[in-house]
């Protein structure tokens, strides 16, 4: 089963790779820290797989061992508050979780 890779997934993976390269951390060290294979890390970096939220949290924690100033803002793009407001105001009409009135 192939994961759907979004533009956001690609951006996150590119930012992590950029930091990893700047800190001169080999992929196998991140793989060991995440308890995944090196091939998984390479697949994420080539956009055929993606990190989950737990991975990203652990990666930030791992990077902090090399540079204490790295945080989630270095990995995630800036928020677009207009987009967030629009998403909050949008209701899915046929949502099976929505209560019937």
């Amino acid at each position: 089963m192939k994961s759907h890779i979004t533009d956001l997934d690609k951006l996150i993976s590119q930012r992590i790779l950029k930091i990893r390269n700047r800190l001169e951390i080999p992929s196998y060290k991140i793989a060991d820290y995440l308890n995944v294979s090196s091939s998984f890390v390479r697949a994420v970096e080539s956009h055929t797989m993606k990190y989950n939220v737990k991975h990203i949290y652990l990666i930030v924690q791992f990077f902090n061992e090399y540079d204490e100033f790295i945080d989630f803002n270095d990995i995630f793009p800036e928020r677009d508050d207009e987009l967030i407001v629009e998403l909050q105001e949008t209701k899915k009409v046929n949502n099976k979780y929505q209560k019937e009135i």
Side-chain angles (χ1 to χ4, degrees):
M1 183 170 161
K2 190 173 181 178
S3 299
H4 177 68
I5 309 302
T6 66
D7 289 340
L8 178 60
D9 297 321
K10 291 177 184 178
L11 178 62
I12 288 169
S13 120
Q14 290 167 350
R15 287 182 172 193
I16 290 172
L17 176 61
K18 184 177 179 179
I19 295 168
R20 183 174 75 73
N21 288 335
R22 179 174 56 85
L23 298 175
E24 299 179 352
I25 300 171
S27 62
Y28 76 86
K29 285 193 175 185
I30 287 184
D32 287 346
Y33 194 81
L34 297 177
N35 198 28
V36 298
S37 66
S38 291
S39 62
F40 173 78
V41 173
R42 289 189 302 274
V44 170
E45 291 175 353
S46 64
H47 310 301
T48 58
M49 300 285 289
K50 61 183 176 180
Y51 291 121
N52 63 35
V53 173
K54 179 182 175 184
H55 292 143
I56 296 168
Y57 174 82
L58 290 171
I59 289 169
V60 170
Q61 184 177 339
F62 180 69
F63 284 163
N64 284 165
E65 294 178 14
Y66 294 82
D67 180 345
E68 65 182 303
F69 297 106
I70 293 174
D71 63 19
F72 287 98
N73 293 324
D74 296 311
I75 294 174
F76 286 99
E78 288 184 32
R79 286 190 347 217
D80 179 350
D81 287 337
E82 289 179 22
L83 173 61
I84 291 170
V85 169
E86 181 181 334
L87 291 172
Q88 289 172 335
E89 292 175 350
T90 303
K91 303 287 184 211
K92 188 171 183 181
V93 177
N94 294 321
N95 188 334
K96 66 180 180 179
Y97 301 110
Q98 184 176 1
K99 289 185 176 182
E100 303 248 351
I101 298 177

